[in-house]
Amino acid sequence: MSKNFDINTLVRPNVAKLTPYSSARDEFTDFEKDMVFLDANENPFNSDANRYPDPHQVNLKQHLSSVKRVPVDQILLGNGSDEILDLIYRAFLEPGEDAIITTPPTYGMYSVLANINNVEDKKVLLTSDFQLDVDGILAAANEKTKLLLLCSPNNPSGNLLNQADIERLLNEFNGLVLIDEAYIDFAKAESWSTRLQDFPNLIISQTLSKAYGLAGIRLGICYASAEIIAVLNKIKPPYNVNSLTQTRALQRVLKQAEVEQEVKTILEERDALMAELEKLDIVSKVFPSDSNSILLRVDDANKRYAEFIELGVVVRNRSSQPHCENCLRITVGTPEENKKLIEAFKKLS
Ligand SMILES: *Cc1c(COP(=O)(O)O)cnc(C)c1O
């Protein structure tokens, strides 16, 4: 299907038709020249943030482009990946008509956004080892399922999805395939961004909220074909990434070595933590992880969750999710925090 893929058949008709808002900063952007800017009703007195931000985040995108090796016109930035996902739903999914496919247990926002946008969420569960049921997904697909959401490494299970399964879905699923790579920097795998040229229906989302340590600034990154990015640009709020975020994100993107060092430490801590957890009596299973979190099965998740809170440690109770009976998800913390976690576990056992 990728051979004769035509994005125009997937764009909502109202989106295809609309004329986007043209902001003052769209019409004139050359800050290099010594110009007097009286076009946007801003307060003229300098506060470092009195001017509207660059609506296209050119500087930040250029740096991301060279670090991530994706052309600038194949990058969209948003107010967290949450905004990126919301834009994708609103661009391609007709409320009351279209559907998505999700693969629980996975990130909860995909379903919430389906409800907000009034599109059906067809759930095809992962297998018990948290891999894709490719035949089940293809069987659930029809002309209304315009978007398939995959999360790799997956949240809450922490594992990478099999590459061959994803590749088959990219080839055979008759719609857009979004791969959420929020945790890719922790994984021993390349980003799917290296395969953008092969799959015109591929959309990738990443974020600075996890490995890059900037959850507070809200920066989500989307990679796709230039055609898909152009559709999303058309409907995004003009100033969706504020100037403080653009500045802070750029500083961090320029410090790759620092990010890599922190990731390395987190992964060493994760592996040490997993070895400790394996030894505990109340832990019956520690699932493999390609992420910065560990899913584990305990004797009684609800009880242990409450006991942890009493001991001052907050973990995530995932026991209501499919295949996650009595499972807790634990984020890898600093060495000191991880010590406290193990001490708390020992008080429980
Ligand atoms: C944490 C997380 C995100 C991050 O979303 P932001 O809005 O960028 O903070 C996205 N997807 C998954 C699967 C996550 O776990």
Side-chain angles (χ1 to χ4, degrees), residues 78-85 106-110 150-156 180-183 205-210 214-216 218-221 291-292 329:
N79 184 12
S81 359
D82 292 341
E83 184 185 37
I84 304 263
L85 291 168
T106 192
Y107 188 44
M109 273 308 284
Y110 312 145
L150 307 177
C151 187
S152 182
N154 188 43
N155 176 7
D180 184 338
E181 291 188 336
Y183 300 98
S205 72
Q206 295 182 356
T207 176
L208 296 198
S209 294
K210 305 288 156 63
L214 289 175
R218 314 305 301 130
L219 192 89
I221 309 169
S291 189
N292 68 332
R329 191 197 68 196

Side-chain angles (χ1 to χ4, degrees), residues 50-90:
N50 58 313
R51 297 295 175 188
Y52 277 101
D54 174 3
H56 308 294
Q57 311 98 24
V58 174
N59 198 12
L60 177 54
K61 273 188 201 161
Q62 278 168 350
H63 283 89
L64 276 171
S65 172
S66 64
V67 171
K68 304 289 182 180
R69 297 173 194 285
V70 175
V72 167
D73 66 351
Q74 293 187 253
I75 304 176
L76 174 96
L77 303 180
N79 184 12
S81 359
D82 292 341
E83 184 185 37
I84 304 263
L85 291 168
D86 186 55
L87 290 171
I88 293 167
Y89 279 56
R90 286 193 288 136

Side-chain angles (χ1 to χ4, degrees), residues 105-222:
T106 192
Y107 188 44
M109 273 308 284
Y110 312 145
S111 281
V112 172
L113 282 168
N115 289 333
I116 292 171
N117 288 285
N118 192 25
V119 300
E120 187 190 350
D121 176 17
K122 295 195 175 196
K123 295 183 160 96
V124 181
L125 295 195
L126 293 175
T127 61
S128 57
D129 59 350
F130 302 119
Q131 288 298 333
L132 294 164
D133 171 7
V134 178
D135 292 327
I137 291 169
L138 292 173
N142 60 25
E143 71 286 352
K144 296 201 181 301
T145 51
K146 302 243 169 86
L147 177 65
L148 166 64
L149 293 120
L150 307 177
C151 187
S152 182
N154 188 43
N155 176 7
S157 53
N159 62 296
L160 282 162
L161 302 178
N162 289 334
Q163 189 178 328
D165 290 346
I166 294 181
E167 183 140 357
R168 201 179 140 209
L169 288 167
L170 282 163
N171 281 316
E172 296 180 30
F173 178 73
N174 195 24
L176 297 165
V177 178
L178 179 120
I179 307 178
D180 184 338
E181 291 188 336
Y183 300 98
I184 191 66
D185 301 291
F186 298 109
K188 291 183 286 302
E190 260 196 343
S191 166
W192 282 88
S193 61
T194 58
R195 305 293 306 278
L196 281 166
Q197 305 320 312
D198 301 333
F199 305 108
N201 57 340
L202 169 60
I203 306 179
I204 297 152
S205 72
Q206 295 182 356
T207 176
L208 296 198
S209 294
K210 305 288 156 63
Y212 281 77
L214 289 175
I217 72 168
R218 314 305 301 130
L219 192 89
I221 309 169
C222 175

